[in-house]
Amino acid sequence: MNAIGQPISRIDGRLKTTGGARYTADIPITNVVYGVIVQSTIANGRTVSIDSTAAEQAPGVLKVFTHRNMPRMNPTPKPWSHLHPHGQSYLPLQDDKILYADQPIALVIANTHDQAAFAATLIRAEYETQPAAVFDRQTAKNAIQPPQFLWPVSSSVGNADNAISSSPVQIEQTYATADRHHNQMEPHATTAFWDDNGTLTLYETTQHIFGTRELVSMVLGIPQEKINVVCHFLGGGFGGKAYVWPHTLIAALAARVLNRPVHVQLTRAQMYSMVGHQAASLQAIKLGAERNGKLNGIRHDSVTPTSMFDNYIEYAALCPRSLWAAGGGIATDHKIAHVNRNTPTALRAPHEALGHFALESALDELAYATGVDPVTIRLLNDTDIDPESGRPFSTRAMRK
């Protein structure tokens, strides 16, 4: 404990402030070639044809991968959970299905990045298009109860509905939040190469080197001990670099086919559609209280969108479970709506941040309805006992 309160410099501080830190895209690799991903222009349907002839004949191009010639991957394990598979379950360039907007449909490999980027513009795709499912109030009405992901999906203490309906003051509102994107300063990037012994090395922008190794092992069918994942510095993660995204997997396979190091770096635009995001939400909150602002009941129901193939939940309704006292009951619930987007992921601060916005907005509206000062109403409903477990908090500084 001798470090507490001491003016200790960060070990990496000088490297970062003098420009000496090497991030994934900065690592020099001999004989490297460059990959650029081509994305779908529809959100739902299938590719009828992909004409890559012009791209293949463009200067410097070594290979164009599509679902027709990309090596097959092993499916990710089910059920999808927070431990497995450390990424979205739908694997890139394995079939002709289009399940989300900007889904990868081709990978162009060339001697330089500019050559690959130019050749990528020459690829022509024809689609069979289906209507895309989007997240709105209508799809939220048809949301489903998902399997447990991190925490229990629903909770109930007491009888919240009776407590609310019998209260002299009642608040009922729906709050909406939009998608939020990590937009880290360092774009996602991968450099993959294989040695003569069949060992794969990934220079990777990742917050989770062991999870990356585990998923790549599953999907590519190689032992974990033959995979090295290296991340010297991370230029911002915020949860978005904790999963393995499609570019990493196809870079590794392309490197094996070509027997050369392959570098793939996403564009700024691709970081909005290929590497997860914090899902939007619709949160319905009901409060029942006495005229002095004392809460009798809380109901918090949240609906968030997820991809067509995964059951990711943004647990926006966690916070009422332990935040304020409501003697009559507290009930929470989460549902998901499957839409044609890629799989969401954690964004700091995940889950509770969205829920606090909604719950605290409702509490402010209760303060307005009762005429009680917003700070006073919170002091009135503070609790030393966790409402969900019934156990006393070991530490709680809410009143302070």
Side-chain angles (χ1 to χ4, degrees):
M1 302 297 285
N2 58 359
I4 294 177
Q6 301 302 312
I8 299 174
S9 296
R10 289 178 61 104
I11 293 175
D12 57 3
R14 182 172 295 276
L15 284 174
K16 288 184 174 180
T17 55
T18 59
R22 283 184 170 176
Y23 295 83
T24 296
D26 303 326
I27 306 298
I29 303 293
T30 303
N31 204 32
V32 69
V33 294
Y34 297 84
V36 169
I37 295 172
V38 181
Q39 296 165 273
S40 66
T41 58
I42 67 169
N44 188 25
R46 56 182 289 267
T47 52
V48 176
S49 66
I50 301 177
D51 185 357
S52 59
T53 304
E56 291 164 353
Q57 297 173 353
V61 172
L62 303 174
K63 187 81 173 178
V64 176
F65 292 94
T66 68
H67 69 273
R68 297 189 299 260
N69 62 348
M70 176 59 72
R72 299 299 95 177
M73 306 182 200
N74 298 324
T76 55
K78 299 291 183 180
W80 191 84
S81 74
H82 71 295
L83 297 177
H84 300 289
H86 310 302
Q88 68 178 37
S89 63
Y90 185 71
L91 299 174
L93 305 185
Q94 298 294 286
D95 55 42
D96 63 357
K97 297 176 184 176
I98 302 295
L99 297 180
Y100 61 94
D102 290 333
Q103 178 182 313
I105 62 169
L107 174 68
V108 180
I109 306 292
N111 288 317
T112 71
H113 179 270
D114 286 348
Q115 288 173 332
F118 170 72
T121 67
L122 303 178
I123 290 181
R124 299 291 180 264
E126 293 185 3
Y127 302 99
E128 179 184 285
T129 305
Q130 299 293 329
V134 298
F135 185 62
D136 55 23
R137 290 178 184 269
Q138 186 57 46
T139 53
K141 291 179 181 178
N142 299 318
I144 63 171
Q145 196 84 30
Q148 180 174 326
F149 168 43
L150 292 170
W151 301 280
V153 173
S154 301
S155 70
S156 181
V157 176
N159 192 323
D161 292 333
N162 282 352
I164 294 168
S165 63
S166 60
S167 294
V169 181
Q170 299 174 32
I171 299 295
E172 182 175 354
Q173 289 287 359
T174 298
Y175 302 93
T177 61
D179 289 345
R180 297 172 66 233
H181 295 267
H182 306 78
N183 209 12
Q184 305 95 333
M185 185 176 291
E186 177 199 24
H188 287 252
T190 300
T191 302
F193 62 92
W194 301 74
D195 67 18
D196 294 337
N197 297 319
T199 296
L200 169 65
T201 296
L202 292 170
Y203 286 102
E204 182 69 24
T205 51
T206 181
Q207 297 170 254
H208 195 1
I209 57 174
F210 299 109
T212 298
R213 183 175 64 176
E214 183 178 7
L215 179 66
V216 171
S217 171
M218 295 174 188
V219 171
L220 301 192
I222 56 177
Q224 290 192 42
E225 56 266 25
K226 295 185 77 68
I227 302 172
N228 298 317
V229 181
V230 182
C231 182
H232 291 304
F233 294 94
L234 196 70
F238 320 124
K241 292 175 180 172
Y243 277 11
V244 180
W245 300 106
H247 65 279
T248 300
L249 300 174
I250 56 181
L253 287 175
R256 183 158 64 181
V257 171
L258 296 171
N259 197 29
R260 290 183 66 177
V262 170
H263 177 75
V264 177
Q265 179 171 314
L266 299 189
T267 66
R268 183 61 57 182
Q270 287 173 330
M271 289 174 63
Y272 285 89
S273 57
M274 288 183 54
V275 289
H277 56 279
Q278 184 173 67
S281 74
L282 283 172
Q283 302 176 56
I285 294 185
K286 295 180 181 179
L287 303 179
E290 299 298 321
R291 298 193 187 281
N292 66 351
K294 181 65 175 176
L295 284 167
N296 294 323
I298 302 172
R299 170 168 283 282
H300 190 162
D301 298 320
S302 174
V303 181
T304 55
T306 185
S307 61
M308 285 294 183
F309 38 84
D310 289 324
N311 293 317
Y312 184 90
I313 309 168
E314 191 74 28
Y315 280 90
L318 280 184
C319 50
R321 297 179 183 181
S322 297
L323 189 57
W324 304 117
I330 300 172
T332 71
D333 187 50
H334 299 87
K335 291 184 178 179
I336 57 172
H338 289 283
V339 300
N340 292 110
R341 294 289 305 276
N342 65 322
T343 301
T345 192
L347 188 153
R348 304 292 175 247
H351 309 296
E352 289 99 328
L354 299 184
H356 280 295
F357 155 71
L359 181 60
E360 295 306 291
S361 295
L363 212 61
D364 283 346
E365 296 198 46
L366 177 64
Y368 183 84
T370 57
V372 178
D373 176 80
V375 174
T376 301
I377 213 168
R378 287 168 171 83
L379 293 172
L380 180 65
N381 290 291
D382 188 29
T383 174
D384 294 323
I385 304 297
D386 176 48
E388 186 172 45
S389 68
R391 296 192 296 267
F393 290 112
S394 59
T395 302
R396 184 171 172 94
M398 185 68 73
R399 299 187 69 82
K400 180 178 178 180

